[in-house]
Every structure is written in structure tokens, then in C-alpha cells.
Amino acid sequence: MEMKTKTKSYIMPTYGERDLVFSRGQGCYLYTQSGKKYLDFAGGIAVNSLGHCHPKLVTILKQQSEKLWHTSNLYKNKNQELFAKELCNKTFAQKVFFTNSGAEAIECGLKVIKSYWNLKNKNKKNIITFHGAFHGRTFAALSAQKNKKYSDGFTPLLSGFKNIPFNDKKALENSINKETAAILIEPIQGEGGIRPASLEFLRYVKKLCKKNDILLFLDEVQCGFGRSGKLYSHEWAKIKPDILATAKGIGSGFPLGACLANSKSSIGMTKGKHGSTYGGNPLAVAVGRQVLRIISDKKFLKKVDIISRYLWKKLKKLESIHDEIIEVRGAGLLLGIKTKQNNIMISNRLKKNKLLTVPAGDNIIRLAPPLIINKKHADEAINIIDQTLKKLK
């Protein structure tokens, strides 16, 4: 790795020490100043959906930057209206609120839930969430996920959240009562260890929501926007949520997020109930619309599905020959390798061998490459993982 001489940093040390510096990116690769090339299977933590410096995104950003950057949401933005319409036409939603991040999309969704039940004048105040969940780092998100790793030192948290075992039908059914307002779930847990909710469980969640008059809020910040081989992961279960948080891949690296909702759940979000200074700004909308055009194309999503199955088979073969691998899990191009030895240590070894990955919970090495990878990239990654694990012995 390329090292920089240690100098005093004026950045809060929340990310720890960072010594690897990249000067440019192209497609599925990142490059250091001296030209060292790294295969990026971290994808900016599932963000760079179209890789680095995609030519169509570069073009659209340049064009928009010469026209208009920011006006605020005090004024109507035609492209924002068009982007919202395009998102609604391709999803379950009828309404959109644009944000700059996933945490903001979650925050908006929680306000949609609260505003809905307050308008109905019903005492439904509790939201069910799941062990291992990660919904962001705002106080509301920390309170929802109840994970000490992230909330330690920030108590007291907000009330109104009930955290239960993941993929557990009985625990879910036993947790529902007259005060249950909503269920918040990731179809595929990211930070929690790349744990997919079974399609059967997602369908069961939807059934209970319908039966008990409960809103269904899906967090697809990490697993959405094409990463599963469909535009959104819940589509595999053939269900529709009331609310959905999306971000990361929606901007392919440009800060952008959105809270999608149906007309029913969003009736309480009236004038003055929520806002964002930057959300849905002209630059973000221009990029987001271009990303949506590319990723929502059926041929593109089919390619993602095909390459993800190819990569899955290759990883399962590694699992069969390496005792170090306890399990391979995940879905689409959000995959995880559970190892016997420390995942951070192994992830660092992979980095030294020019493959970028991201550690996740439950001792998982997370693979979240750009959706544009092909068999060559998959084979290159598999070979690096294979050689790295061999040397661990």
C-alpha cells in the first residue's frame, strides 16, 4: 500500500487511520498516484453502482454544472418533478421526497409513519425493527436499530422501537399489538452481516401488516437500486411496501437519496411537515435520472442477475475447498464471506493483494462491486480471494 507521511489531521478521527490514497477511478478499478491498480469490490460501500467515472454520468454532470447547481426547494424544479414521476412509474410509489443520504431517507420515512397515525388520531406509536439492522447514524436510526456498536455513548435513545430476532415468524407475530404502527426491515441486512430475509418471511411480514393495519417500511438503501438483479430487492418476493428508503446506488457516487411512499401512507406529509436544503438539487437530480435510465433497463438488470449468479457459484466453489470459509451468503451483488479468522485482518490481506472489500457484522467480508462487473472481474476477484486464503494457511 502507498503510505503518506503522517501529518496532523484536522478531521475528526471517527474513521480511524487511513493510509491508502486513490487519485482516480475508472470503471471497476481505483488507482493510486503511482499507478497501482485495485479491483473495487467495495464499491464505495455499495454506492458506485455504475463504477467510477461512468462516461454518461460525467457528461450529464458537466452539462448540468454549466446550467444550474442550486435554487432550493422554495422553487419548482421541473427535472425534480420528472425524476419523481419516473421513480413512481417504475415502483410501487406515488410520492417521493428527495434527500442527500440513506439516513435522511430513513428519517423521512419515520416521519411519514408518525404523521400518518397522528392524522388518523390513533395511538399506534411503536415500530418493530430487527436484530442486526442498520438504518443509519441519526438519533432516530440509532434508536431503531438498537445496536450498541453504533449507539454506545449516545444514550438516552428515542423510545417507540421494538427490536426482535430477524427472520423469526413467531417472534414477529408475538410482538404485534394495537400500538404497532409499522414494521421496518432491510430485505438484505448489510452492516448486520449480509443476511437476506427469506422471501417467505418478507411475504409473511406483508401479510401481517395487511391483517393488523400496519405500515410496511423497507430499508433498501444498500440492497436496492439494481443490486439484487431487480430495481428493488423486495420485488423478488412480489410484495409492495408502503414506504421505502433508497440511496447509495441511486446516485452512483453522487450524494442522493429518496423516501418513496404510496399515497395512503404519505397523507400526513403536508406543507411544512418536512424539508431539505439540498435534497433534490439540480445536480443530484440530473445524475439520478441518468442512473435510473441505465439501471432500470431490463437488459441491464438481467446482466446483473446473470453475473451475480456466476460470482455466487465461484464463491460457493471456494467455500467447498477452503476450510477458512464458514459460509457464503447474500443475494445479487451484495455478498458476504463468513470466515473463521478475523474478517478485518483478511480484508486487509485482500487489500494488499489489490482487491478492495468491506468488513461487515458477524465476521463477514462484504463484496458489493459495481453492477457493471463482468466475468473477467469476477474471475480476478475469485483468484485473489483464493490465493489470499491459501497463504493464510
Side-chain angles (χ1 to χ4, degrees):
M1 284 186 291
E2 300 208 346
M3 307 292 287
K4 271 199 163 187
T5 305
K6 281 192 178 182
T7 57
K8 179 181 177 181
S9 175
Y10 294 88
I11 297 171
M12 289 186 188
T14 56
Y15 301 109
E17 286 194 20
R18 298 168 291 175
D19 52 25
L20 183 56
V21 182
F22 295 112
S23 59
R24 69 181 183 92
Q26 190 67 48
C28 299
Y29 295 94
L30 284 166
Y31 299 83
T32 64
Q33 189 68 45
S34 65
K36 288 183 180 178
K37 180 179 175 184
Y38 290 74
L39 179 59
D40 187 8
F41 265 49
I45 313 182
V47 166
N48 297 97
S49 49
L50 296 176
H52 300 280
C53 300
H54 191 287
K56 288 186 177 179
L57 301 189
V58 171
T59 298
I60 205 78
L61 188 57
K62 282 182 177 177
Q63 289 174 352
Q64 185 60 49
S65 71
E66 292 170 352
K67 293 177 184 176
L68 188 65
W69 288 28
H70 179 76
T71 58
S72 93
N73 286 306
L74 293 173
Y75 313 105
K76 189 170 183 176
N77 180 332
K78 286 186 178 180
N79 278 334
Q80 190 184 92
E81 291 282 354
L82 287 171
F83 189 24
K85 181 181 179 180
E86 289 159 2
L87 280 168
C88 289
N89 286 343
K90 294 178 184 297
T91 65
F92 72 96
Q94 285 99 40
K95 297 292 178 183
V96 177
F97 182 91
F98 288 111
T99 68
N100 310 284
S101 67
E104 290 174 69
I106 289 291
E107 194 80 15
C108 179
L110 294 173
K111 290 179 81 171
V112 169
I113 294 165
K114 294 289 185 181
S115 65
Y116 176 79
W117 291 116
N118 283 333
L119 195 66
K120 292 281 185 179
N121 201 26
K122 288 189 178 181
N123 189 35
K124 282 178 169 275
K125 59 186 180 181
N126 294 326
I127 297 171
I128 293 174
T129 62
F130 297 88
H131 296 173
F134 180 83
H135 302 299
R137 294 179 185 268
T138 63
F139 264 98
L142 294 174
S143 305
Q145 63 212 24
K146 294 185 183 297
N147 189 325
K148 288 184 178 180
K149 177 182 176 182
Y150 303 104
S151 62
D152 190 32
F154 300 114
T155 54
L157 299 176
L158 303 176
S159 61
F161 295 98
K162 187 181 288 187
N163 198 246
I164 66 170
F166 188 60
N167 265 332
D168 189 326
K169 288 184 179 181
K170 191 172 181 181
L172 176 59
E173 190 170 5
N174 291 340
S175 298
I176 292 172
N177 57 36
K178 290 180 181 179
E179 293 186 339
T180 304
I183 296 171
L184 169 57
I185 185 171
E186 299 160 274
I188 307 169
Q189 287 191 341
E191 304 301 320
I194 317 300
R195 299 194 300 165
S198 70
L199 299 184
E200 182 188 358
F201 185 67
L202 288 176
R203 287 190 281 264
Y204 186 69
V205 170
K206 177 63 180 179
K207 181 182 174 182
L208 288 182
C209 286
K210 196 171 182 179
K211 179 183 175 183
N212 295 282
D213 192 20
I214 295 168
L215 295 177
L216 176 56
F217 183 10
L218 296 182
D219 179 347
E220 293 224 29
V221 169
Q222 187 160 167
C223 66
F225 233 79
R227 190 149 290 279
S228 70
K230 291 190 181 290
L231 188 58
Y232 286 103
S233 295
H234 70 269
E235 294 173 29
W236 288 103
K238 297 182 179 178
I239 62 169
K240 291 181 180 180
D242 296 292
I243 309 156
L244 181 143
T246 185
K248 288 188 180 284
I250 193 175
S252 193
F254 197 97
L256 175 62
C259 178
L260 311 183
N262 55 28
S263 295
K264 168 195 166 184
S265 63
S266 58
I267 54 172
M269 297 298 278
T270 53
K271 184 177 178 179
K273 289 290 184 182
H274 199 42
S276 172
T277 299
Y278 299 108
N281 68 75
L283 289 171
V285 167
V287 174
R289 288 187 71 196
Q290 185 63 59
V291 175
L292 180 61
R293 287 188 201 107
I294 297 169
I295 288 182
S296 64
D297 182 84
K298 288 182 180 179
K299 289 181 180 178
F300 183 91
L301 290 171
K302 183 65 178 174
K303 285 181 181 178
V304 173
D305 187 43
I306 290 170
I307 194 63
S308 64
R309 293 176 190 276
Y310 178 83
L311 181 58
W312 174 265
K313 286 179 181 176
K314 291 282 186 175
L315 287 169
K316 292 299 283 184
K317 187 175 180 181
L318 285 186
E319 180 186 350
S320 70
I321 61 176
H322 286 285
D323 290 338
E324 177 61 40
I325 299 177
I326 296 172
E327 181 187 10
V328 171
R329 63 195 189 207
L333 288 178
L334 185 57
L335 301 171
I337 305 169
K338 184 174 173 65
T339 57
K340 290 179 180 177
Q341 297 183 62
N342 183 271
N343 62 332
I344 296 173
M345 178 273 289
I346 296 176
S347 185
N348 284 333
R349 295 281 184 92
L350 292 170
K351 184 164 62 176
K352 284 181 180 178
N353 292 326
K354 308 298 187 297
L355 176 67
L356 302 176
T357 60
V358 189
D362 200 26
N363 210 53
I364 287 285
I365 296 166
R366 174 175 19 182
L367 307 177
L371 307 183
I372 59 170
I373 63 165
N374 56 35
K375 287 184 177 180
K376 172 183 165 287
H377 300 120
D379 289 343
E380 184 180 348
I382 291 295
N383 182 55
I384 294 173
I385 295 168
D386 182 34
Q387 294 304 314
T388 302
L389 293 181
K390 282 178 180 175
K391 288 179 181 177
L392 281 179
K393 292 177 182 179

